[in-house]
Amino acid sequence: MRITEPSKERSVKDNVTRNSEELQNLLSQTSSGKRVSKPSDDPIAAVKIQDFKTTIDHTKTLEKNIASDQVWVNKSEDTVKSISDLLLRVKTLGLQGANDAMPLASRQSIANELKGITENLVNLSNTKLNNLYMFSGTKTFTQPLHFNKALTKGSFGFSGIYLKSKATFLPVNRNKPLGLTKPSELTDDDKDKLYQLTFTLRKQDPITKQVLPLTKDNQPITVNIPLTGNETIQDVIDEINKAAIKQGNYKENEGAPLGFDVNFYSKLNKNNEFAIFTSPEWNISINQQDPSGLLKKLQIYNPSTGKQVLDNVDGSPDQAAETVSSEIAHNQEIILNDKIKATFHGYSNEKYLLNVLKGGHYGEALYIISDDGGKTWSEPKVLNKKIEVSNPDGKPSRKLTLSFDSEEKDPYFMEGLEVYFKGNEYALYEGNKQDKSVVLDNNVKASLNTNAHDLFFAGDDKDRLNVFETLYGLQIALNEDDTANINKSLNELDQSINQILRQRENIAKVSLELKNSKLRVQQDSDSAFKGLAKEEDLDVAKASMEINNAENRHQIALNTSAKLIQPTLLNFLR
């Protein structure tokens, strides 16, 4: 095989070029310190390097976010710590005030300090970070807490039925028989009907008057009042009241209209007003069967709908019902809203309900008060123009003042009249209860924010209460020199402190989780940097040896090439 000069030349050039490129790559890697500068240097390593760089960028973002979250949580923790410290200061002051030997002036001085501490609590709750309110839930541009006004207008209503009879036959003499149908006079079609007046009692909300749904523990109560047909109007009233006393298990109560605790009672007022009153927690309805003719004669109307139970003798049922219903609304408007107004003074978040048991003027009427929406009631008291609203069996020192204002000098308060309001908090929360959650590196959600509602206000949890109500109650007890209620408020104060400490514990858990997350992210970052260095960085010692070898190979290639091209043209022609 003949080797031509061009083939020799190509071979020499290829060898020299290849060795030169190898030496150049090694020198370039040494100068940059990188083993892989482009994917072609090592495709597999290039893919790993890109993955490591993505991981590093992600960890940098997580570290930045965690650092920002830690600033928020640490600020929250410091603020809640200050709040708990203030409450511990209140506990110290309360224990001092509970000392029986402490004079009233000293207790009032402590009460003034408590007022200042309460203001500081509100200010701490309105703490900002970078112009964002920290304790407003997700409504970070809304101030969470502010103080409320101490005045609240009371609403009026009736606890039962109060209807003016339209019948003209009601006798002035209550002992005159009404002329009811007697059992012997019933037709064959009515023989199977019970000869009696029947009431049905259903539980209702004392405030809204809405009938509650039937449950296993909430079943309707039926009360039957037997009749003979010879009754007078007074006999009917007496029979209704006897049945009411029996249904109430004969529990005596000197302040009640009948002398007993009852769920309903009846009376005939002046101007022929026949009334059936119920206690606030009961709704009463009347059975529509009327074999005696009593309902027709008295024209009794259904208490829940205002409709007449049976046909009116002198007109159609719809006309009579419309007349009486409009008259009830008209009477309530004049008697309750225009002539008498009620104003509550003070703070409480309870549902207060005042019920007039015995009608009369100031100094005559009797009332009872509930601070839990009608569940428990105080003993009967005399109604005056200005009264203290409190239930000894209710919340400690939740005392309000109720004052009446009337166009009349001495207005008349009717039996069954109610005055109520749904609460007036010392401080109001304007934020929301939504969590500001973040996802940590392990896909676990952490709630960064603690809202002022969870810190200070009652909730579904029985262990939570309104901290501001507790502080306000303690102030009132100290100002009134009321040792018993001071001790009651101190018990609630312990619960308030525990409530704050539970929130502080939750913040500490989030803080610890952020710290652990930061450590995990740093570990992931370090691992990614090590992997990147392993794949991308150059082994300098190894590279130095490879450069020496490459230089030797390059020099040998040059020397060998020089010998191959030494013959001259003359030598070739020979």
Side-chain angles (χ1 to χ4, degrees), residues 113-341:
E113 184 173 349
L114 288 184
K115 184 178 180 181
I117 290 176
T118 305
E119 293 175 354
N120 288 337
L121 288 175
V122 173
N123 292 333
L124 283 171
S125 302
N126 294 332
T127 298
K128 285 183 177 183
L129 180 63
N130 298 328
N131 294 322
L132 299 178
Y133 288 102
M134 302 188 64
F135 299 98
S136 293
T138 56
K139 296 174 65 175
T140 51
F141 292 104
T142 301
Q143 180 175 311
L145 289 180
H146 68 269
F147 289 106
N148 196 12
K149 294 181 180 180
L151 300 180
T152 303
K153 295 295 182 183
S155 301
F156 287 93
F158 274 111
S159 60
I161 316 164
Y162 196 87
L163 302 179
K164 179 183 290 187
S165 175
K166 291 293 183 180
T168 58
F169 57 79
L170 287 179
V172 176
N173 182 0
R174 298 188 181 189
N175 296 318
K176 181 179 178 180
L178 292 173
L180 303 179
T181 302
K182 299 179 181 180
S184 60
E185 299 172 350
L186 291 176
T187 63
D188 292 338
D189 293 336
D190 292 330
K191 290 293 185 182
D192 59 338
K193 296 181 180 178
L194 294 176
Y195 190 66
Q196 60 190 3
L197 187 62
T198 303
F199 292 153
T200 300
L201 297 173
R202 291 276 304 274
K203 281 281 188 180
Q204 69 177 11
D205 187 288
I207 302 297
T208 64
K209 305 299 185 228
Q210 295 295 320
V211 176
L212 301 179
L214 294 178
T215 63
K216 181 180 179 181
D217 299 325
N218 177 27
Q219 293 294 319
I221 298 174
T222 301
V223 181
N224 297 317
I225 296 93
L227 300 174
T228 66
N230 296 319
E231 281 80 9
T232 66
I233 185 65
Q234 189 62 53
D235 291 335
V236 174
I237 291 174
D238 291 342
E239 290 300 321
I240 291 175
N241 291 337
K242 286 178 183 178
I245 293 172
K246 181 179 179 180
Q247 194 267 328
N249 295 322
Y250 303 94
K251 184 178 180 181
E252 295 187 6
N253 183 349
E254 294 181 359
L258 303 181
F260 295 86
D261 282 336
V262 294
N263 292 323
F264 64 95
Y265 68 94
S266 176
K267 69 179 296 185
L268 189 65
N269 288 343
K270 58 184 178 179
N271 300 326
N272 280 340
E273 293 175 337
F274 180 82
I276 301 173
F277 295 106
T278 66
S279 58
E281 65 269 22
W282 289 101
N283 172 280
I284 190 169
S285 58
I286 305 172
N287 191 304
Q288 293 193 16
Q289 292 184 354
D290 187 32
S292 68
L294 175 64
L295 300 183
K296 286 185 178 181
K297 289 184 178 293
L298 296 183
Q299 298 185 29
I300 300 177
Y301 289 79
N302 187 295
S304 61
T305 64
K307 300 292 185 180
Q308 189 177 11
V309 175
L310 291 178
D311 291 350
N312 184 7
V313 177
D314 300 325
S316 67
D318 292 339
Q319 290 176 344
E322 183 179 354
T323 302
V324 174
S325 179
S326 63
E327 182 176 333
I328 294 173
H330 178 67
N331 284 342
Q332 288 182 351
E333 182 71 22
I334 294 177
I335 295 174
L336 302 180
N337 295 335
D338 290 347
K339 289 189 177 182
I340 306 175
K341 295 181 180 180

Side-chain angles (χ1 to χ4, degrees), residues 457-474:
F457 295 91
D460 297 333
D461 188 350
K462 294 181 179 180
D463 294 332
R464 283 178 52 188
L465 47 72
N466 192 313
V467 177
F468 291 109
E469 273 196 41
T470 300
L471 297 177
Y472 179 70
L474 182 56

Side-chain angles (χ1 to χ4, degrees), residues 12 556-567:
V12 168
I556 292 172
L558 292 175
N559 293 337
T560 304
S561 299
K563 290 180 179 181
L564 286 174
I565 62 175
Q566 276 183 357

Side-chain angles (χ1 to χ4, degrees), residues 286-402:
I286 305 172
N287 191 304
Q288 293 193 16
Q289 292 184 354
D290 187 32
S292 68
L294 175 64
L295 300 183
K296 286 185 178 181
K297 289 184 178 293
L298 296 183
Q299 298 185 29
I300 300 177
Y301 289 79
N302 187 295
S304 61
T305 64
K307 300 292 185 180
Q308 189 177 11
V309 175
L310 291 178
D311 291 350
N312 184 7
V313 177
D314 300 325
S316 67
D318 292 339
Q319 290 176 344
E322 183 179 354
T323 302
V324 174
S325 179
S326 63
E327 182 176 333
I328 294 173
H330 178 67
N331 284 342
Q332 288 182 351
E333 182 71 22
I334 294 177
I335 295 174
L336 302 180
N337 295 335
D338 290 347
K339 289 189 177 182
I340 306 175
K341 295 181 180 180
T343 304
F344 287 88
H345 305 258
Y347 298 99
S348 178
N349 194 33
E350 306 303 327
K351 293 181 179 179
Y352 280 84
L353 184 63
L354 180 147
N355 184 270
V356 178
L357 289 180
K358 179 182 177 183
H361 300 279
Y362 292 134
E364 298 175 348
L366 294 179
Y367 74 94
I368 53 176
I369 192 74
S370 172
D371 61 1
D372 53 14
K375 296 178 182 178
T376 60
W377 293 88
S378 68
E379 293 297 321
K381 299 179 182 179
V382 176
L383 185 66
N384 291 304
K385 188 172 183 178
K386 190 174 184 179
I387 60 176
E388 184 182 82
V389 180
S390 64
N391 181 11
D393 296 330
K395 298 289 185 178
S397 290
R398 299 301 184 263
K399 296 179 180 178
L400 303 176
T401 301
L402 175 60

Side-chain angles (χ1 to χ4, degrees), residues 53-66:
K53 287 183 177 180
T54 301
T55 300
I56 291 172
D57 291 339
H58 179 64
T59 55
K60 286 181 179 179
T61 302
L62 285 177
E63 286 181 335
K64 182 179 179 180
N65 293 339
I66 291 173

